[in-house]
Amino acid sequence: MKRKSLIILFVVAVAFALTFVPAKSHAAITQGFHDVNIVSAGPFFGKIIMIVDAVDGSFRNQWLVLNAEMQNSLLATALSSISLQQEVRVWVMADSVTLPGIIAQTCYSILLK
């Protein structure tokens, strides 16, 4: 009985500790053009977002929110890039947009290379 209680206490302690471990935060990338590979893109809580990796390896899994005024054409370009497995050049602002569960930056331009 004592051993079973000890195991249950250990499992609860581990679950409690993992609950309060902060999620990995991504440092904001600088404003300007960046050459990236688009990992995925699509809708997320009323916004269109994409996840990108830098071609030179300077950042990985960076979340970008597409500019609301041009999100349809930007999404079309992003999806074309994914289907063609082609690098793109994106213009990123040095802002931060808070969405449920993530912090992203705004993307204003996507250019196929």
Side-chain angles (χ1 to χ4, degrees):
M1 183 70 172
K2 187 176 182 180
R3 184 175 178 182
K4 188 184 279 187
S5 297
L6 188 60
I7 291 172
I8 291 172
L9 181 64
F10 177 73
V11 169
V12 170
V14 169
F16 186 71
L18 292 177
T19 302
F20 293 104
V21 173
K24 182 180 177 184
S25 62
H26 296 285
I29 56 177
T30 59
Q31 180 171 321
F33 280 108
H34 297 277
D35 293 330
V36 300
N37 290 314
I38 300 175
V39 177
S40 63
F44 185 73
F45 288 96
K47 305 276 188 187
I48 304 294
I49 63 167
M50 64 183 182
I51 303 171
V52 299
D53 293 338
V55 172
D56 63 4
S58 60
F59 58 85
R60 290 184 43 95
N61 295 328
Q62 183 68 36
W63 296 79
L64 300 177
V65 176
L66 300 183
N67 178 19
E69 296 174 5
M70 299 175 41
Q71 68 184 5
N72 290 337
S73 57
L74 291 174
L75 179 61
T77 307
L79 294 176
S80 296
S81 166
I82 292 170
S83 66
L84 295 170
Q85 298 179 349
Q86 189 173 7
E87 298 173 1
V88 294
R89 179 167 275 209
V90 295
W91 174 267
V92 179
M93 293 297 292
D95 61 354
S96 62
V97 179
T98 303
L99 296 173
I102 62 169
I103 297 175
Q105 291 176 265
T106 307
C107 174
Y108 281 91
S109 174
I110 302 174
L111 305 169
L112 290 173
K113 290 180 87 180

